[in-house]
Amino acid sequence: MNVLVINCGSSSLKYQVIDSVTENVLAKGLCERIGIDGRLVYQPAGGEKEITEAAMPTHKQAIQMVIDALMNEKTGVIKSLDEIGAVGHRIVHGGEKFAASALISDEMIQAVENCSELAPLHNPANLIGVRACQELMPKTPMAGVFDTAFHQTMPEEAYLYGVPYEYYEKYGVRKYGFHGTSHSYVSRRAAAVLNKPYEELKTIVCHLGNGASVCAVKNGKSVDTSMGLSPLEGLIMGTRSGDIDPSAVEYMAKKEGLDMEGIMNVLNKKSGVLGISGVSSDFRDLEEAENNGNPRAKSATRAFNYRVLKYIGAYAAAMNGVDCICFTAGVGENNGVIRKQICDNLGYLGIAIDDEANAKRGEEVVISTPDSKVKVLVIPTNEELAIARETVALVQK
Ligand code: ADP
């Protein structure tokens, strides 16, 4: 079955068509600047990337353009829409309602809407994509795969905040965690690579991209993760602050004359390694700046690494030990220097890095030495494939 995987944001939409049998990507791309002007990127497997500037006033028009590209006589990969057996949608926040992926129905959409207050930037945009696909492919079964679902196994002591309990009861104020699809996929792959039973491993996954989070996976279940009610908690990220004293938020807002929206915008978009360095949120730019002697770029990278290191220590404690540590996403997969800097401080866990293995890129690889007590791996994440698998499992049930 071919599965169309959709990751819909407020003005952009990423898509892939995956053959669920071979797990090959048949085509992929994205729509950008939806509602502004519009740009379609389309790339069939083994073919050239095509970029088309075309008006996309709505998400429905954007998805129609994706469908037209997929069915294009010369460069398309399907002849008719019947060849799309299912659509899998990434949905950011499932609250406590969704501990697993779910088939899309009116009730399910309502339940996602009810979680929207917890993710006002993401869930409404995800649902716009769902509705647009429903209109264009009314007969095709669809599933929603949640970023939060994998973390619903966290125990109460991990997800409760130290605030009045009635805020949890009344408003759902608690840690939810995100990147669940990635943490689940990567921890499973690590078990497969190590040839160990997934249900018996203590794994720490470091998903280090623009958004970044660490997850403790014990016996196949997420038991803690660094993001919280929203993706702002935890690590220092590209542009997000991560953990910060709440009093600092009030203090900065007062000093800068910002209201709540203004200071939240600073914490989400102008902080993190961008905020510290004043250079960029992109680690490639930071590396270049650091090599050119920029001290703040160095400070930003060090602070980023230190926060990852602290979470690894915390999660080794939370699980009473750790068998393997995985690095994934843009930085985790590609930046061996950062991996090495983090792991250099993990000698107390009996970790040693094999520099030759650590220099490899783009493949699943064990980067620790054979005698390292804890195995360290690089596992490229594949959220789209994970969404396609979940979707097929639900549709075929
Ligand atoms: P997101 O999906 O959260 O937007 P990514 O997982 O793509 O983010 O990660 C983006 C980060 O990964 C950037 O800081 C970038 O520097 C880094 N990155 C991506 N590709 C490479 C690469 N080939 N070499 C070094 N760093 C990379």
Side-chain angles (χ1 to χ4, degrees):
M1 178 194 300
N2 295 327
V3 183
L4 174 60
V5 176
I6 299 271
N7 180 355
C8 187
S10 57
S11 67
S12 70
L13 180 154
K14 293 188 196 140
Y15 65 92
Q16 283 194 5
V17 177
I18 297 175
D19 176 334
S20 70
V21 177
T22 61
E23 299 201 327
N24 289 332
V25 176
L26 303 183
K28 64 178 179 180
L30 72 157
C31 301
E32 292 175 296
R33 302 177 60 82
I34 302 168
I36 305 164
D37 35 38
R39 201 171 104 107
L40 172 78
V41 180
Y42 172 77
Q43 185 171 28
E48 294 281 310
K49 193 184 269 185
E50 294 167 16
I51 298 174
T52 317
E53 312 277 344
M56 312 176 177
T58 67
H59 286 75
K60 188 174 165 188
Q61 278 148 312
I63 294 172
Q64 184 63 58
M65 286 192 61
V66 171
I67 292 171
D68 292 344
L70 291 171
M71 297 203 303
N72 182 283
E73 262 184 28
K74 283 197 191 122
T75 55
V77 293
I78 54 171
K79 294 215 165 53
S80 90
L81 262 187
D82 296 340
E83 291 177 43
I84 301 285
V87 183
H89 294 270
R90 175 188 180 216
I91 298 185
V92 169
H93 216 309
E96 286 187 330
K97 175 83 187 164
F98 294 99
S101 309
L103 281 175
I104 285 172
S105 64
D106 290 347
E107 299 80 59
M108 186 268 192
I109 290 176
Q110 186 58 52
V112 173
E113 265 173 0
N114 294 345
C115 303
S116 283
E117 238 185 331
L118 291 168
L121 295 179
H122 295 106
N123 275 24
N126 300 156
L127 285 178
I128 288 172
V130 170
R131 292 209 178 88
C133 284
Q134 282 182 320
E135 284 178 40
L136 293 166
M137 294 174 257
K139 289 196 206 112
T140 311
M142 301 189 193
V145 179
F146 299 91
D147 273 26
T148 51
F150 181 60
H151 304 300
Q152 276 298 302
T153 47
M154 278 189 290
E156 189 187 53
E157 64 262 32
Y159 71 67
L160 279 184
Y161 289 131
V163 299
Y165 191 76
E166 58 267 30
Y167 295 176
Y168 164 58
E169 293 179 305
K170 284 196 289 190
Y171 313 127
V173 175
R174 53 160 283 180
K175 181 185 278 282
Y176 291 95
F178 297 86
H179 289 145
T181 311
S182 175
H183 289 303
S184 164
Y185 173 86
V186 169
S187 54
R188 267 176 204 285
R189 284 303 311 156
V193 170
L194 294 174
N195 201 16
K196 293 267 168 60
Y198 186 49
E199 294 72 24
E200 290 171 22
L201 272 188
K202 294 172 183 175
T203 305
I204 296 173
V205 180
C206 305
H207 178 114
L208 310 179
N210 251 321
S213 69
V214 184
C215 181
V217 186
K218 188 178 183 183
N219 306 337
K221 293 196 164 94
S222 168
V223 292
D224 205 347
T225 191
S226 58
M227 284 178 168
L229 175 89
S230 81
L232 186 53
E233 191 182 342
L235 300 179
I236 293 175
M237 306 179 214
T239 64
R240 295 184 204 136
S241 66
D243 300 336
I244 182 171
D245 180 349
S247 300
V249 180
E250 186 202 24
Y251 185 71
M252 291 188 294
K254 263 193 195 150
K255 285 287 181 196
E256 288 283 311
L258 294 168
D259 60 10
M260 192 59 89
E261 198 186 328
I263 193 67
M264 291 313 290
N265 189 48
V266 170
L267 292 171
N268 273 299
K269 305 218 169 113
K270 297 182 178 166
S271 298
V273 291
L274 168 68
I276 297 176
S277 68
V279 172
S280 171
S281 62
D282 191 303
F283 279 83
R284 285 168 287 203
D285 300 337
L286 292 176
E287 197 173 358
E288 192 187 325
E290 192 177 332
N291 290 341
N292 290 332
N294 183 315
R296 271 168 57 191
K298 187 171 175 181
S299 303
T301 310
R302 283 189 164 202
F304 173 86
N305 293 349
Y306 182 67
R307 187 71 61 89
V308 177
L309 178 70
K310 282 210 296 185
Y311 268 100
I312 291 173
Y315 289 167
M319 294 192 289
N320 191 13
V322 55
D323 299 312
C324 72
I325 297 175
C326 305
F327 288 94
T328 194
V331 180
E333 289 168 29
N334 294 297
N335 198 321
V337 175
I338 282 184
R339 289 194 300 258
K340 174 86 172 143
Q341 283 169 352
I342 293 168
C343 291
D344 273 348
N345 260 306
L346 294 171
Y348 74 99
L349 288 174
I351 286 177
I353 296 299
D354 175 340
D355 290 331
E356 204 174 300
N358 189 37
K360 292 185 184 165
R361 266 172 193 239
E363 56 181 299
E364 293 179 337
V365 55
V366 178
I367 60 166
S368 49
T369 58
D371 58 351
S372 181
K373 261 168 69 185
V374 176
K375 301 295 166 206
V376 184
L377 294 88
V378 174
I379 305 277
T381 194
N382 196 336
E383 287 165 287
E384 292 79 10
L385 176 58
I387 291 173
R389 285 179 182 165
E390 291 273 319
T391 302
V392 171
L394 278 168
V395 165
Q396 288 181 339
K397 236 187 204 169

